[in-house]
Amino acid sequence: MPQALPTWLTPQQFFQAVEEMRAVVGKEWVVSEDGPALRSYRDAFSPEDDDVFLPSAAVAPDGVEQIQKILKIANDYRVPLWTISSGKNFAYGGPAPRKAGHVVLDLKRMNRILEVNEEFGYALVEPGVTYFQLYEYIQKKGYKLWIDCAAPGWGSVLGNTLEHGVGYTPYGDHYMMHCGMEVVLADGTLLRTGQGSLPGTQCWQLFQYGFGPVLDGIFTQSNFGIVTKMGIWLMPEPPGYMPFMITYEREEDLHAITEAVRPLKVNMLIPNGAFTVGLLWEASIKTTRAQYGDPKKPLPESAMKKIMADHKLGMWNFYAALYGPKPMMDNTFKVVRDALGAIPGAKFYFDEDRKGDPSWDYRVKLMRGIPNMTEFNMSNWVPGAGAHVDFSPISPTRGDDAMRQYQMIKTRANEHGFDYIGEFAVGWRDMHHVFSLTFDRSDADERRRARELFNVLIDEAAQAGYGEYRTHLAFMDKIAGTYNWNDGALWKLHHRLKDALDPNGILAPGKMGIWPQHMREENV
Ligand code: ADP
């Protein structure tokens, strides 16, 4: 039975709509009974109770035509659909919809790799194609191409890109590296963006723009359409790869590291996503809190020293890599060493120094696009049902901002009974500061405190001029409300687009705080 249906739908209507969808996709591709299959679509990391984001059904179409037929049914009955590609977007909501009573549109069956082009370095994929799958395909074919994957690698290329996900190679900004989309609108219209709209084009995956406005962005982090194909650029395998790690002993070194990294990144001397990783992020990959203190409380400073000594770690651990012919890497490395090595206490590590160390090994894989699941170890940090929601404010790559964000988040986290587990990912000019709020989701009080902390952080970050780049279902409305320059002009435009493109409000109501007209007053 459905959980809590939207007010305008009777159980009979919902049942009828699901029956009609069953006729479209075949009965084995619809789940509507409450049970393990439906509950697999819940958010396993949710800071809320289990039923808050539980869908009432899930339907898995196998192609654009079936999607169009499902959309027709959803429009007829005004049944909300929540689109997922692989549904592994954990820490930001997983496969679950914003509200109980919605139907998950699960695109896992649409998992064809339509093209990999070695000459130009790109792939054209359907939504369900995962990083593991694309990597294995390229290996099997022997193409000299690298992918750029998220950690962990079981997510989809398309879903991660639509969420503005970032990776670890020089192609780490996934949206920047996408090229061309195919989209189905709520009314069933099928369109292609960029060069893809020119019949017979040879350039759909080569040139991002078309003729007129660039619309790809409106289909990311939104509920304006269902993306059914996407091109993604792939990096040609370079002749050399030199990953390195630098440890720093003191908390306040974050300032100097960030100041040293900025010119290296802005001038493209470090070409890949450069990560300054906090001690406990590193520790959570290979040990547990219980080994160093009270499993239910944040670790004290004294435990930090012991973890550093036991695991040859710093308070901050900087990871990056160089790529290319050896003489070029050697030359660039001199500049990197002079800048980052000038900070007192800096210790450099290379492959031969840390082989077999899980946190080194998985970073070395990620920085050359080998998907893996090591980062999932993080859930073992706390006892019980380990989970995390990520608070991810954007920051200038500047020492003052890094220290300010770090101190603010660490203080608030400790006050609420949580560790600071964080990293700063420098893309180009900005940093994604990811604070992994790790908690025991079987403990109702921890869930409550996690939500409370998250809400405080949103407010304090916004007051200081920092906005989040992505968020969990539970916080979408609140964060959307912080992007309110000029009386919420952007929020209003999002809603004008929503009303025009999806008047019945059937696509992902509430995604990023964008609600259909008839649900707005109720929710926002
Ligand atoms: P991942 O594959 O990284 O696990 P998900 O499948 O969980 O990602 O998708 C993340 C989010 O991106 C979804 O909640 C949804 O809002 C959006 N999304 C995913 N796939 C699509 C799609 N094909 N079209 C439109 N939005 C999508």
Side-chain angles (χ1 to χ4, degrees), residues 82-83 85-89 107 156 158 160 162-163 225 227 511:
W82 185 270
T83 309
S85 287
S86 80
K88 300 291 195 289
N89 185 28
L107 303 183
S156 69
L158 192 146
N160 186 275
L162 296 189
E163 274 287 284
V227 182
K511 174 78 186 176

Side-chain angles (χ1 to χ4, degrees), residues 205-317:
Q205 272 61 61
L206 303 184
F207 185 61
Q208 289 174 334
Y209 316 120
F211 192 71
V214 179
L215 293 183
D216 300 47
I218 71 163
F219 299 110
T220 71
Q221 289 197 350
S222 80
N223 47 18
F224 300 154
I226 298 167
V227 182
T228 48
K229 291 185 180 69
M230 189 191 75
I232 186 87
W233 286 341
L234 303 173
M235 177 173 160
E237 183 180 305
Y241 171 51
M242 180 183 173
F244 59 92
M245 173 195 187
I246 316 170
T247 60
Y248 298 92
E249 289 163 14
R250 301 168 316 154
E251 251 180 335
E252 56 272 29
D253 290 337
L254 177 63
H255 192 281
I257 301 166
T258 311
E259 287 296 303
V261 170
R262 185 181 54 252
L264 296 174
K265 280 297 312 177
V266 174
N267 293 297
M268 297 194 283
L269 286 162
I270 292 181
N272 71 325
F275 281 69
T276 308
V277 186
L279 174 69
L280 295 188
W281 187 299
E282 290 282 281
S284 71
I285 304 298
K286 48 195 171 195
T287 180
T288 65
R289 183 156 71 183
Q291 286 180 277
Y292 287 91
D294 183 336
K296 295 298 273 181
K297 293 216 175 101
L299 287 180
E301 295 304 318
S302 53
M304 309 291 172
K305 294 268 174 284
K306 178 138 178 53
I307 297 175
M308 282 165 68
D310 286 356
H311 295 281
K312 284 201 287 185
L313 288 169
M315 270 310 288
W316 297 106
N317 304 277

Side-chain angles (χ1 to χ4, degrees), residues 335-402:
V335 184
V336 172
R337 189 192 52 209
D338 288 351
L340 284 160
I343 301 167
K347 282 199 193 82
F348 282 79
Y349 294 92
F350 303 93
D351 216 10
E352 58 277 15
D353 305 319
R354 297 194 81 103
K355 271 209 166 73
D357 172 351
S359 50
W360 165 263
D361 284 346
Y362 95 98
R363 296 266 172 192
V364 169
K365 284 185 182 154
L366 292 176
M367 289 190 288
R368 54 160 302 169
I370 302 179
N372 62 82
M373 292 295 291
T374 305
E375 205 163 81
F376 237 63
N377 294 1
M378 196 179 258
S379 335
N380 298 327
W381 180 246
V382 293
H388 61 102
V389 283
D390 291 357
F391 177 73
S392 330
I394 295 295
S395 166
T397 307
R398 197 157 49 201
D400 286 352
D401 292 280

Side-chain angles (χ1 to χ4, degrees), residues 457-493:
L457 293 177
I458 295 169
D459 287 335
E460 291 197 357
Q463 273 156 24
Y466 303 124
E468 285 70 57
Y469 93 100
R470 183 179 186 183
T471 203
H472 187 275
L473 306 171
F475 309 104
M476 285 178 176
D477 293 323
K478 190 170 168 83
I479 293 180
T482 65
Y483 282 82
N484 59 5
W485 183 80
N486 197 17
D487 197 23
L490 188 63
W491 188 90
K492 288 175 188 164
L493 176 59

